[in-house]
Structure formats: structure tokens, C-alpha cells
Amino acid sequence: QVQLVESGGGLVQAGGSLRLSCAASGRSFRNYAMGWFRQAPGKEREFVAAIHWSGGSTYYVDSVKGRFTISRDNAKNTVYLQMNSLTPENTAVYYCAADGSYNTLVRAPVYWGQGTQITVSS
């Protein structure tokens, strides 16, 4: 079992930045690919970013490339999402996710956190 707890959400004005954190517990955090998804009001949940267990490979949805950065610190069992140049369109509940496969995580992760609300004001 893997447990995921997100933090760092909140209210920010357009153009601002936030960093989300996801603390993981379990026997083999280091062996899991990690990622972030989001769900905006009236929209389906969508993939945002993923990172390989080694931290050597990352993948982003086109809409956040150049603005969002995913990283991980295996010593702290934590994955991060740095979000810069935020816009109201980024308002959503953001979910941390984990999976044993980098490719599978992008489509349908096995483990999910409870989510954290990000609200970007105009």
C-alpha cells in the first residue's frame, strides 16, 4: 500500500506561483513513478505531469510546459509540482498519484491522494 497526502494548495492571484507537495508513505516509494492530475469545475480529471522513479525523465501536458515543473526527493519521500505564471484556467483540485509503471501512471494510476484546491484569481 502507498498513502499520498498533498499540501500547498490555496488562493493565488494571476501571474503568481505555488508549489505543491505530496508526501508518500510505503515500503518502496523510490520504485514508483509519481505524477499530478487535476480536475477543474465541470471538467474531467486530466493528467498534468509525471516523473520517473529515478527523477531522470519527466512528462507534461502541453498546456503547462514551460510553466510547471515536477520534481522528487526520494530521501524525503516527497514529490513536488512548482507552478509559475498561474492563470484562472489553472483553477482546479490537484491530485497526487503513484504507480509502479511510468507509462501506466499517465493513463490510470493505481494510487491517489485526496487532492488539494488551487484557486487562481484574475
Side-chain angles (χ1 to χ4, degrees):
Q1 295 287 328
V2 175
Q3 293 80 46
L4 306 172
V5 180
E6 302 97 334
S7 63
L11 177 65
V12 64
Q13 67 180 22
S17 299
L18 285 174
R19 189 180 75 160
L20 303 182
S21 298
C22 175
S25 61
R27 291 182 177 271
S28 303
F29 170 79
R30 184 176 178 274
N31 294 332
Y32 283 87
M34 302 291 295
W36 293 91
F37 289 70
R38 66 186 176 191
Q39 187 166 19
K43 302 291 186 179
E44 295 182 347
R45 189 174 299 186
E46 67 170 345
F47 167 80
V48 177
I51 188 167
H52 188 259
W53 69 266
S54 69
S57 298
T58 58
Y59 180 70
Y60 301 91
V61 68
D62 286 345
S63 62
V64 307
K65 289 180 179 177
R67 299 189 298 116
F68 290 12
T69 303
I70 188 171
S71 61
R72 67 189 296 164
D73 185 339
N74 288 342
K76 296 181 178 180
N77 291 350
T78 301
V79 64
Y80 306 95
L81 185 68
Q82 178 67 45
M83 304 183 293
N84 298 327
S85 301
L86 287 164
T87 70
E89 288 70 35
N90 298 138
T91 294
V93 177
Y94 284 70
Y95 298 89
C96 181
D99 199 282
S101 168
Y102 182 83
N103 291 334
T104 304
L105 180 144
V106 175
R107 302 192 310 271
V110 172
Y111 301 104
W112 293 93
Q114 294 300 305
T116 186
Q117 177 71 50
I118 303 298
T119 302
V120 184
S121 62
S122 61

